[in-house]
Amino acid sequence: EAQVTQNPRYLITVTGKKLTVTCSQNMNHEYMSWYRQDPGLGLRQIYYSMNVEVTDKGDVPEGYKVSRKEKRNFPLILESPSPNQTSLYFCASSEQTGSLRRTDTQYFGPGTRLTVL
Amino acid sequence: TQLLEQSPQFLSIQEGENLTVYCNSSSVFSSLQWYRQEPGEGPVLLVTVVTGGEVKKLKRLTFQFGDARKDSSLHITAAQPGDTGLYLCAGPPITDSWGKLQFGAGTQVVVTP
């Protein structure tokens, strides 16, 4: 079954304790992206990756790191989490057909609910 | 500041009624996508509109892309409880790189039997 998986689904942690949220897709997609969703703000893009070893900032990259060492995995790293990073996080992937009009379907994972105390 | 403004934020209607959700911007978009998100799940793509003035139909859902590619609308005819969800519009502004995506804040639609 084609899917995007995220782990963990729920996480409660304390300020300053490094954590990693994993994201994996089995569709051989070049493009992967991380978003955070907060009430009243919709989804905001954190980082995205066009291919292995190619990453770039979205609109809200501060306090986050990513890496893309393999095509299928795109982990999100919070080196020193703070309470304002409490949010619902989504990973997504899509093909990259090169269309300037961006018609590729983006598939989302089930989300990771993070609470930083 | 949200580049894509959605209205209304919340819509509660009875089964069988029609509804329209709007997605507006002062920026031009290469394309616009509409997603529906249900509680506890990730967004699921409904449609992509690409050409200015384009109209696409998906059963009882009609999507329109503005002529200037700055706005879009979603119209649901004879809404059903299964249409309940958070509707999100998203797209890449033409001034941004291919990888960057902007999302609207969403419209929560509740259809009661």
Side-chain angles (χ1 to χ4, degrees):
Chain A
E1 181 192 352
Q3 60 183 352
V4 177
T5 57
Q6 295 179 227
N7 281 293
R9 293 289 313 276
Y10 302 91
L11 180 60
I12 300 174
T13 189
V14 295
T15 298
K17 188 176 181 183
K18 181 179 178 180
L19 66 92
T20 299
V21 183
T22 64
C23 172
S24 183
Q25 50 93 4
N26 62 1
M27 295 169 278
N28 202 38
H29 286 163
E30 291 86 5
Y31 179 87
M32 297 186 75
S33 184
W34 275 103
Y35 301 88
R36 60 178 288 173
Q37 186 173 30
D38 302 289
L41 295 177
L43 279 84
R44 292 181 292 167
Q45 193 175 38
I46 303 171
Y47 270 95
Y48 63 93
S49 170
M50 303 284 269
N51 214 324
V52 175
E53 301 291 2
V54 181
T55 63
D56 213 339
K57 295 177 181 179
D59 282 334
V60 288
E62 296 78 19
Y64 304 94
K65 283 176 57 176
V66 292
S67 68
R68 188 91 182 272
K69 292 182 170 45
E70 306 165 281
K71 200 172 189 180
R72 63 183 292 127
N73 296 322
F74 190 43
L76 179 70
I77 303 155
L78 284 72
E79 295 268 4
S80 183
S82 62
N84 64 12
Q85 292 178 299
T86 292
S87 187
L88 180 58
Y89 291 86
F90 287 100
C91 178
S93 74
S94 75
E95 291 182 339
Q96 189 177 284
T97 58
S99 164
L100 289 176
R101 296 292 180 92
R102 193 60 195 273
T103 58
D104 308 302
T105 299
Q106 200 165 195
Y107 296 90
F108 283 81
T112 295
R113 187 166 289 282
L114 172 66
T115 301
V116 183
L117 302 174
Chain B
T1 305
Q2 215 91 30
L3 205 58
L4 284 167
E5 298 286 341
Q6 284 189 241
S7 62
Q9 289 183 302
F10 183 80
L11 201 51
S12 180
I13 61 171
Q14 300 274 21
E15 183 176 1
E17 293 182 338
N18 302 333
L19 68 98
T20 303
V21 176
Y22 299 93
C23 176
N24 295 304
S25 179
S26 57
S27 300
V28 178
F29 282 76
S30 307
S31 59
L32 269 180
Q33 296 182 319
W34 284 92
Y35 293 81
R36 181 168 66 211
Q37 183 180 18
E38 301 191 18
E41 299 181 8
V44 175
L45 181 69
L46 295 173
V47 79
T48 301
V49 285
V50 176
T51 308
E54 181 176 5
V55 176
K56 276 192 174 177
K57 292 195 174 186
L58 190 68
K59 296 182 181 177
R60 293 174 294 98
L61 278 62
T62 302
F63 304 86
Q64 190 160 5
F65 200 12
D67 291 339
R69 291 190 282 133
K70 292 183 178 182
D71 56 86
S72 181
S73 64
L74 156 61
H75 181 78
I76 302 179
T77 303
Q80 298 177 359
D83 296 324
T84 293
L86 179 68
Y87 288 83
L88 297 155
C89 62
I94 60 170
T95 51
D96 275 346
S97 70
W98 187 94
K100 289 194 79 172
L101 262 192
Q102 298 288 336
F103 275 81
T107 294
Q108 181 64 52
V109 172
V110 175
V111 183
T112 52

